Amino acid sequence: AKMATARAKFADFEAASRPAFEEDPVDENGFPIMTHKVVHRIVYREFGGYIEPSINDVVHLENRRWREIRDLDKYTGVTVLHLENNQIGPTIGNGLAHMSKLKALYLQCNMVRQVDSLAANQKLTLLNVATNQISGFAEGGLPHSLNTLLVSANNISTAAALAPLASLPNLEVLDLSRNNLEGGDEAFDLFARMPALRVLYLQHNPIQKTEYYRRRLVSGCRRLTYLDDTPVETAERVGCEAWAASGGSFDAERTARRELVEDRRRAAKAATRRMAAERAARRAAANLGSDDSGRRVLSEEAMAAVPGTVTLDDGWEKALGGDECPVCQARLKAGERAIALQQCGHAFHLACLRPWLTKASATCPVCRAEVATPSAAAIAAAATDKREGQNLEEEEGKPGLVATEDNGDIADDHAEGNARWINYCPRSNYVFSNTTNQSSVMRGEAPELSAATPGSSQKDGVDDEAQDEVRRAIQTQLRKRFSQSHISSERKKSEADQSHSLDAFARLRAERAEARSRENKGSERSGADAGEEGAAGDGVKADSMSVEERIALAQ
């Protein structure tokens, strides 16, 4: 704003100090004349243009009261020319024929009556001659490159005055609002002959009062996308074309619209099915999960074929050196099922790693190394081995856990897993498996298998016998439960994983208790005695617990 104010003051100072012979020339009627000297002063001094006329591409010459375009021969590089708010007319003249690069010409608010001398400007795309006195266009007066023509607020009244516009192959935008264009078949036929017409403004013209005005224009102009102040939708176009083809039948229009809606619905459904099929194919090819996360996981069949699954023995336990499973933080011991990933060498419990690889991500939980999907041959071999194992179990007639003696001892290939079930049996696996005790359990009257009473002191042998009695009772219930053929393998897996977690938690709690006891060794004798008495009291209390209380504590 400061620069504009300073520039205006400097222009006023120059005008005041300019000698008499430098004043702008005028004609006999007192109107200023466009001369090269005046134009140079306006372009260079007032608008900050280049001193070399041919370099200027945007020239502002508006609001000067000029009546004729002249002396612009040196401005050959102009692309945008502003000549609005002058008194140019009745024709534009040949003063712009040398501007071969002209693309936009603004001549609104002048006194032009006919446009007939712009054919030489072969790059002209926009012509604004709104608010003039134009009553028609001369044949061949406009270049074929014209794309936008704004002729609002003029004196066009007949279709014959617009006939030369039908020969413009690139005319897409035509503004004829606020004229006196009459409606008739000639006007509708003229607009239909314009090959590239897309946007048409006819507001405030008598043609708008013609019956079926919009239907006739939309059905005739096949590329029309905007008429007056409303866009032309596909449904409207289809309906109008059906209306015109049927001779003005509204039933045909409604039928065409309904068919279009149905076609769109069918296309949308087909596209949805196609995308779903493509996504399913991509997921199947990449072994992705069923969710929308896009993460790669392993199927149960591929998980069974992942190499590195072993049953730990003493040699493995010694080689691992007391390593812990990174998932459950429990040590890897002999007799447990474990898996060592070949990509990175990290070892896990098989029950801990299986949910991660099959549901979360086919990567190592520690280092994110990619776990390769086994080949089809390996998956098929693993499936064959699994079927053979199932057939062998069916032949033996003892699937799952196998009881050997009446005293409740259970022996199978997974001894450590059975120990987890025996030591930490959830309520659902013991209490509700015994239907005879179900009602008493619901009332809180579960039978107590331990003979210990609160406050009584027993020897170590008696405590061991009570614990053995409890274990034998639990083993009996486990045999009854897992001897049922209707229990699914998936349920067995989930219960085994649950018991494994309980076992890991119990071992961790025992280790922490042992660490706390080591820390308290250096305390005073009285504190140590008090701790021993409290531990003894806790032991007595634990021995006096019922089966239900023991199970709740294990959970």
Side-chain angles (χ1 to χ4, degrees):
K2 292 182 180 179
M3 290 294 296
T5 303
R7 186 174 295 174
K9 290 182 179 180
F10 181 73
D12 295 341
F13 172 76
E14 283 191 332
S17 61
R18 190 183 304 131
F21 63 87
E22 291 188 3
E23 292 182 357
D24 295 345
V26 296
D27 58 8
E28 62 276 6
N29 296 323
F31 290 96
I33 301 174
M34 181 187 296
T35 62
H36 172 72
K37 190 173 184 179
V38 175
V39 172
H40 179 71
R41 187 190 75 239
I42 295 172
V43 173
Y44 174 61
R45 293 187 178 181
E46 296 184 14
F47 287 93
Y50 297 101
I51 193 172
E52 174 60 37
S54 61
I55 302 177
N56 295 281
D57 55 349
V58 180
V59 176
H60 291 268
L61 300 175
E62 63 270 17
N63 305 317
R64 300 294 171 176
R65 295 198 308 146
W66 287 323
R67 305 185 68 178
E68 183 183 1
I69 302 175
R70 50 180 291 184
D71 293 341
L72 295 177
D73 300 338
K74 294 183 179 181
Y75 291 87
T76 57
V78 177
T79 58
V80 180
L81 179 59
H82 291 269
L83 288 170
E84 58 267 25
N85 293 321
N86 284 286
Q87 297 186 17
I88 299 172
T91 61
I92 298 175
N94 297 321
L96 303 176
H98 63 284
M99 295 185 180
S100 59
K101 298 180 181 180
L102 186 63
K103 294 182 179 181
L105 177 60
Y106 296 91
L107 281 169
Q108 63 268 29
C109 300
N110 279 280
M111 301 178 66
V112 179
R113 295 185 179 181
Q114 191 172 17
V115 181
D116 57 356
S117 56
L118 295 176
N121 306 101
Q122 293 298 323
K123 292 186 179 181
L124 185 64
T125 59
L126 187 149
L127 176 60
N128 190 345
V129 288
T131 318
N132 278 276
Q133 302 175 7
I134 298 175
S135 59
F137 294 89
E139 190 70 34
L142 295 174
H144 288 179
S145 60
L146 191 62
N147 177 268
T148 303
L149 178 60
L150 309 179
V151 204
S152 61
N154 280 275
N155 296 326
I156 299 175
S157 59
T158 62
L162 300 173
L165 302 182
S167 62
L168 301 178
N170 298 312
L171 184 61
E172 295 184 356
V173 181
L174 179 59
D175 185 3
L176 293 171
S177 58
R178 294 181 176 86
N179 280 275
N180 296 317
L181 185 61
E182 297 288 342
D185 295 339
E186 297 83 2
F188 291 103
D189 294 341
L190 172 65
F191 295 129
R193 291 200 307 271
M194 296 182 181
L197 188 62
R198 292 179 179 271
V199 181
L200 179 61
Y201 297 101
L202 291 173
Q203 296 100 315
H204 308 287
N205 279 281
I207 192 175
Q208 280 192 311
K209 299 179 181 180
T210 306
E211 189 178 15
Y212 308 130
Y213 152 78
R214 189 173 180 90
R215 283 188 174 88
R216 295 180 67 178
L217 283 176
V218 173
S219 61
C221 304
R222 299 301 179 90
R223 303 186 64 181
L224 196 64
T225 59
Y226 210 95
L227 177 59
D228 296 339
D229 56 350
T230 308
V232 179
E233 303 292 346
T234 305
E236 181 183 9
R237 173 171 300 283
V238 170
C240 292
E241 290 178 354
W243 172 84
S246 62
S249 174
F250 294 102
D251 293 336
E253 179 179 356
R254 286 190 291 267
T255 302
R257 286 174 178 264
R258 284 196 297 267
E259 291 178 355
L260 176 64
V261 172
E262 293 298 329
D263 291 342
R264 286 179 173 177
R265 288 179 180 175
R266 287 192 292 269
K269 291 181 180 179
T272 303
R273 290 193 295 267
R274 183 176 62 256
M275 288 188 293
E278 292 176 355
R279 182 172 62 178
R282 290 194 300 268
R283 289 185 180 279
N287 287 316
L288 299 180
S290 58
D291 57 357
D292 295 332
S293 62
R295 293 173 295 185
R296 188 177 69 89
V297 297
L298 298 181
S299 61
E300 291 293 342
E301 295 78 6
M303 180 64 201
V306 172
T309 302
V310 295
T311 300
L312 300 180
D313 54 12
D314 295 337
W316 268 103
E317 184 178 5
K318 184 177 180 181
L320 292 174
D323 288 349
E324 296 179 350
C325 173
V327 177
C328 65
Q329 302 297 316
R331 293 179 180 176
L332 298 170
K333 296 182 179 181
E336 295 179 332
R337 295 282 290 172
I339 180 171
L341 298 178
Q342 295 184 350
Q343 287 75 13
C344 56
H346 291 125
F348 306 84
H349 286 118
L350 182 60
C352 296
L353 189 61
R354 180 184 289 109
W356 173 265
L357 294 180
T358 58
K359 297 180 180 179
S361 176
T363 58
C364 175
V366 178
C367 64
R368 295 296 183 182
E370 291 285 342
V371 178
T373 304
S375 61
I379 295 176
T384 303
D385 295 341
K386 183 177 180 180
R387 285 194 299 270
E388 292 177 355
Q390 292 177 351
N391 295 335
L392 181 60
E393 289 182 354
E394 292 177 357
E395 293 175 0
E396 294 177 356
K398 298 178 181 181
L401 298 176
V402 181
T404 57
E405 297 180 4
D406 294 338
N407 61 359
D409 295 335
I410 299 174
D412 65 341
D413 294 337
H414 310 287
E416 184 65 22
N418 295 337
R420 295 178 192 150
W421 280 107
I422 295 171
N423 292 327
Y424 305 101
C425 177
R427 178 192 299 256
S428 61
N429 290 335
Y430 169 67
V431 177
F432 292 105
S433 64
N434 189 351
T435 57
T436 59
N437 294 333
Q438 196 168 17
S439 59
S440 62
V441 170
M442 298 301 294
R443 296 193 303 268
E445 301 175 358
E448 297 183 2
L449 301 182
S450 176
T453 58
S456 63
S457 59
Q458 296 178 350
K459 297 182 180 180
D460 295 340
V462 178
D463 293 340
D464 292 341
E465 291 178 0
Q467 294 292 336
D468 292 341
E469 183 179 357
V470 173
R471 293 187 179 184
R472 283 195 297 272
I474 294 175
Q475 290 172 4
T476 303
Q477 298 298 331
L478 287 175
R479 283 200 306 273
K480 293 180 179 180
R481 182 174 182 82
F482 288 101
S483 62
Q484 301 173 9
S485 59
H486 65 273
I487 298 179
S488 63
S489 59
E490 293 295 332
R491 184 173 177 181
K492 292 179 183 179
K493 291 179 182 178
S494 62
E495 291 176 347
D497 293 340
Q498 180 184 5
S499 67
H500 174 73
S501 301
L502 292 173
D503 184 46
F505 174 74
R507 282 186 288 184
L508 181 61
R509 184 171 56 183
E511 292 176 359
R512 290 181 178 177
E514 184 180 356
R516 285 196 298 269
S517 65
R518 286 197 300 267
E519 292 178 358
N520 295 332
K521 281 184 178 180
S523 61
E524 296 180 359
R525 180 65 179 174
S526 58
D529 294 340
E532 291 175 358
E533 292 178 0
D538 294 340
V540 172
K541 184 176 181 180
D543 294 336
S544 63
M545 289 182 181
S546 63
V547 176
E548 181 182 5
E549 293 173 348
R550 290 173 182 272
I551 294 173
L553 178 61
Q555 289 181 337

